[in-house]
């Protein structure tokens, strides 16, 4: 049921006019009433005057905004009171067992398989709703090449997305570990990647299904069906690809990989010092930059290119044979190409700006044992290979400070110091396998590796082949092995280790 049914004949603030008024320094006073015709057919739309069409646009834009604010408020409240909500649910024995068995801050921490299942459920629901909405609009004459589906249909889909976000927030709150909490802006960030048009993959899926329906409605059946088949097949590929799976998870189930922070009122850390407005604004700016950066990562650009370039070609073919359609041209051609161009142009400058934010997020992921989120951040920042990026991230990741205690100020590292610390920080992880083959670590890097191993309680396989490690480095690694209790496989071929070094490792 549309949100308009709840408002009946009550007017809404006309946000479109109000925004235009604010540009001219006028107070927001405009109101707009619900359109008289609900979910009109294409024929009814063609008979409407410009004033009626404008009223529909203004009303439903305002309705979208009102509902979004409701979802934002509800989800943020759930995240703020997450620990109290968790306590309420632990009163039920069957659910308490599930909650108590979790040692991490995310339901996806059990690994890639669970993450894939989450994406499949959410993505499958999106496809089912998208196909249902498109076919209903197609069969009832409500799919227009000028406007696409009715505003009312889009609002229903948006409402489903919002309710899904609230359910995710409750589930994430139930799984929240003791001593952790969600920042006040975390749910807002989740809604950006999970609900916003052109940023959310769910919207991209539905607009591609919508385009296929428009092509079929205009007697281009082969093009429309091929569009449907392509968007379905390519998402099957995305789910199977690990890098794309991480992107899909942050779009279809963002609350499950939401960042947590230490609870200031809990036992982990003392209360944080007061922040002035400048610090607050700087933190919010960093958050915005991080969201923009996520739209420019190589994986995101690759995903957008694979999904949208063929769809753009099909949209151009449609426009060529059936005449111009502003809706198709803007939604399926112009905006996707702008998204890809944005990612290509701004990836590097944004990447350098988000270092502090991703350092804090990486610290939270490592501390809470969120392996999937940790891998996502390491992949996004490439701190294992990019020394300049590592120098920016390291000072903001508290988990890295104990690797080389002699380095008291991580903001002032030489390249040699940073390279050694970079190697050791690969072991500050909740991952079970670390591959450092051919990284030219040398004995200094091996010493850092040993320091990382001493604090690691998850690694099973460590590959150090071809790293110019000598006997001194081998002895350092041996000291780390003696302390570490989880390592089972160690690769040291292709180094400069003599019998003395080999014996030290063998007897560790």
């Amino acid at each position: 049921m549309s949100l308009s049914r709840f408002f009946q004949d009550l007017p809404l603030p006309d946000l479109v006019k109000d925004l235009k008024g604010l540009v001219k320094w006028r107070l927001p006073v405009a109101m707009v009433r619900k359109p008289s015709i609900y979910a009109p057919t294409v024929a009814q739309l063609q008979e409407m005057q410009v004033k009626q069409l404008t009223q529909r646009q203004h009303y439903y834009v305002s309705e979208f905004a009102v509902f979004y604010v409701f979802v934002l408020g509800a989800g943020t409240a759930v995240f703020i009171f997450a620990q109290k909500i968790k306590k309420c649910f632990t009163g039920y024995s069957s659910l308490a067992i599930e909650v108590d068995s979790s040692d991490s801050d995310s339901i996806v921490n059990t690994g890639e398989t669970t993450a894939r299942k989450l994406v499949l459920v959410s993505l499958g629901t999106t496809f089912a709703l998208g196909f249902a909405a498109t076919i209903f609009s197609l069969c009832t004459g409500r799919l227009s090449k000028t406007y696409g589906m009715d505003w009312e249909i889009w609002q229903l889909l948006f409402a489903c997305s919002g309710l899904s976000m609230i359910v995710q927030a409750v589930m994430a709150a139930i799984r929240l570990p003791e001593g952790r909490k969600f920042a006040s802006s975390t749910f807002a960030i989740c809604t950006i990647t999970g609900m916003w048009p052109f940023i959310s993959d769910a919207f991209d899926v539905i607009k591609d299904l919508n385009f296929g329906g428009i092509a079929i409605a205009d007697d281009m059946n082969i093009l429309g069906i091929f569009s449907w088949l392509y968007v379905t097949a390519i998402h099957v590929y995305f789910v199977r690809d690990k890098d794309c799976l991480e992107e899909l998870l942050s779009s279809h189930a963002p609350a499950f990989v939401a960042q947590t922070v230490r609870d200031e009122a809990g036992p982990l850390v003392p209360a944080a010092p007061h922040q002035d407005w400048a610090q607050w604004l700087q933190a919010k700016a960093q958050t915005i930059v991080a969201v923009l950066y996520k739209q420019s990562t190589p994986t995101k650009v690759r995903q957008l290119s694979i999904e949208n370039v063929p769809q753009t070609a099909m949209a151009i073919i449609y426009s060529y044979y059936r005449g111009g359609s502003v809706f198709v041209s803007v939604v399926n051609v112009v905006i996707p190409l702008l998204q890809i161009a944005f990612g290509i142009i701004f990836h590097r400058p944004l990447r350098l700006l988000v270092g502090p934010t991703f350092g804090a997020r990486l610290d939270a992921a490592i501390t809470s044992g969120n392996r999937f989120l940790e891998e996502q951040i390491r992949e996004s920042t490439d701190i294992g290979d990019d020394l300049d990026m590592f120098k920016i991230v390291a000072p903001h990741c508290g988990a890295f400070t104990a690797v080389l205690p002699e380095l008291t100020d991580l903001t002032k590292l030489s390249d040699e110091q940073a390279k050694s610390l970079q190697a050791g920080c690969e072991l500050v992880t909740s991952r079970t396998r670390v591959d450092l083959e051919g990284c030219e670590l040398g004995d200094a890097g091996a010493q850092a590796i040993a320091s990382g191993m001493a604090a690691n309680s998850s690694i099973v396989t460590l590959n150090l082949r071809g790293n110019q490690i000598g006997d001194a480095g081998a002895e350092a690694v041996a000291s780390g092995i003696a302390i570490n209790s989880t390592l089972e496989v160690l690769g040291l071929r292709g180094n400069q280790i003599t019998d003395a070094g080999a014996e030290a490792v063998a007897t560790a």
Side-chain angles (χ1 to χ4, degrees):
M1 179 180 291
S2 171
L3 188 63
S4 60
R5 299 298 176 88
F6 291 99
F7 287 97
Q8 296 298 327
D9 293 328
L10 292 176
L12 291 176
D14 190 339
L15 298 182
V16 178
K17 279 189 177 180
D18 288 345
L19 288 174
K20 292 179 179 178
L22 286 174
V23 173
K24 299 178 181 179
W25 300 98
R26 298 175 185 169
L27 292 176
V29 294
M31 304 294 287
V32 60
R33 290 191 174 275
K34 182 181 67 175
S36 57
I37 301 177
Y38 182 81
T41 63
V42 174
Q44 289 174 317
L45 286 172
Q46 291 173 344
E47 294 174 357
M48 289 184 183
Q49 299 178 356
V50 174
K51 183 178 180 180
Q52 293 174 296
L53 295 173
T54 301
Q55 179 195 11
R56 284 180 54 76
Q57 179 192 30
H58 288 204
Y59 181 83
Y60 285 107
V61 167
S62 300
E63 187 179 79
F64 271 67
V66 169
F67 182 76
Y68 177 72
V69 170
F70 164 76
V71 171
L72 190 61
T76 299
V78 170
F79 269 15
I80 289 175
F81 299 103
Q83 289 290 359
K84 293 183 178 180
I85 291 173
K86 176 180 177 178
K87 291 178 181 178
C88 292
F89 279 94
T90 53
Y92 299 91
S93 58
S94 60
L95 191 55
I97 295 173
E98 181 184 356
V99 173
D100 292 340
S101 66
S102 174
D103 297 324
S104 57
D105 65 339
S106 169
I107 199 170
V108 301
N109 283 336
T110 51
E112 185 178 333
T113 301
T114 305
R116 185 167 284 111
K117 290 178 181 178
L118 279 171
V119 170
L120 284 173
V121 170
S122 180
L123 188 59
T125 303
T126 299
F127 267 94
L129 292 172
F131 269 119
T134 301
I135 292 173
F136 169 79
S137 300
L138 182 62
C139 294
T140 57
R142 288 178 167 85
L143 194 58
S144 165
K145 67 181 290 185
T146 305
Y147 306 104
M149 293 187 295
D150 280 331
W151 282 101
E152 293 85 346
I153 305 298
W154 281 109
Q155 205 283 327
L156 282 169
L157 296 171
F158 190 71
C160 291
S161 176
L163 294 175
S164 171
M165 289 296 305
I166 295 175
V167 171
Q168 288 182 36
V170 173
M171 294 178 67
I174 295 172
R175 306 287 295 189
L176 188 67
E178 293 297 330
R180 307 293 298 182
K181 69 175 184 178
F182 295 104
S184 58
S185 60
T186 301
F187 186 78
I189 297 171
C190 291
T191 62
I192 292 175
T193 58
M195 293 181 67
W196 281 26
F198 302 105
I199 294 179
S200 166
D201 181 71
F203 175 84
D204 282 347
V205 168
I206 294 173
K207 62 98 172 169
D208 288 339
L209 296 177
N210 193 28
F211 166 71
I214 291 174
I216 292 173
D218 222 356
D219 296 326
M220 296 191 72
N221 297 343
I222 295 177
L223 185 67
I225 293 173
F226 182 78
S227 174
W228 283 352
L229 292 174
Y230 182 79
V231 71
T232 304
I234 203 61
H235 276 83
V236 171
Y237 166 76
F238 287 157
V239 171
R240 294 174 63 87
D241 182 273
K242 183 179 179 181
D243 292 338
C244 292
L245 176 65
E246 293 171 357
E247 289 289 343
L248 290 179
L249 188 65
S250 65
S251 181
H252 288 274
F256 295 133
V257 289
Q259 178 193 1
T260 64
V261 296
R262 294 179 176 89
D263 191 345
E264 296 172 357
L268 291 179
V269 294
H274 175 71
Q275 287 187 331
D276 58 25
W277 280 102
Q279 290 175 310
W280 184 85
L281 289 173
Q282 183 180 12
K284 296 306 175 185
Q286 280 285 338
T287 300
I288 294 172
V289 170
V291 172
L292 291 174
Y293 173 74
K294 285 291 293 178
Q295 305 306 308
S296 71
T297 62
T299 301
K300 183 67 175 180
V301 172
R302 171 172 159 254
Q303 183 178 332
L304 287 171
S305 301
I306 294 173
E307 181 177 358
N308 287 317
V309 169
Q311 291 285 355
T312 297
M314 286 184 270
I316 293 173
I317 293 172
Y318 170 83
S319 298
Y320 178 80
Y321 284 101
R322 289 294 184 265
S325 168
V326 175
F327 178 84
V328 171
S329 298
V330 172
V331 173
N332 291 85
V333 179
V334 177
I335 293 180
L337 293 179
L338 287 176
Q339 286 179 287
I340 295 171
F342 172 85
I344 294 172
I345 295 171
F346 292 101
H347 171 65
R348 183 66 184 179
L350 286 173
R351 187 164 172 264
L352 296 175
L353 291 173
V354 297
T357 299
F358 277 102
R361 291 185 179 181
L362 183 60
D363 181 53
I366 293 172
T367 303
S368 61
N370 190 334
R371 179 161 52 89
F372 198 92
L373 182 57
E374 180 195 341
E375 289 181 350
Q376 186 182 33
I377 295 171
R378 287 182 181 272
E379 176 71 22
S380 297
T381 57
D382 196 26
I383 58 172
D385 296 318
D386 190 326
L387 192 62
D388 291 334
M389 189 64 179
F390 176 79
K391 286 182 177 180
I392 298 173
V393 171
H396 304 276
C397 183
F400 289 171
T401 57
V403 175
L404 294 177
E406 63 271 20
L407 300 178
T408 56
D409 188 356
L410 299 188
T411 62
K412 300 177 181 179
L413 296 175
S414 66
D415 285 350
E416 184 177 352
Q417 291 173 327
K419 191 172 182 180
S420 296
L421 182 63
Q422 183 184 39
C425 288
E426 287 296 299
L427 274 295
V428 182
T429 178
S430 58
R431 296 171 295 172
T432 59
R433 187 180 189 279
V434 174
D435 187 350
L436 296 173
E437 182 172 355
C439 292
E440 300 180 357
L441 301 178
D443 289 340
Q447 180 63 57
I449 290 290
S451 299
M453 289 175 65
N456 187 287
S457 59
S458 64
I459 189 165
V460 176
T461 303
L462 175 60
N463 183 7
L464 298 177
R465 297 175 179 176
N467 273 294
Q468 302 174 9
I469 297 174
D471 288 343
E475 291 174 2
V477 172
S479 66
I481 295 174
I483 301 174
N484 185 278
S485 60
T486 59
L487 186 66
E488 296 178 2
V489 180
L490 174 64
L492 285 171
R493 289 182 181 177
N495 287 292
Q496 300 165 4
I497 301 173
T498 67
D499 290 344
E503 183 179 355
V505 172
T507 56

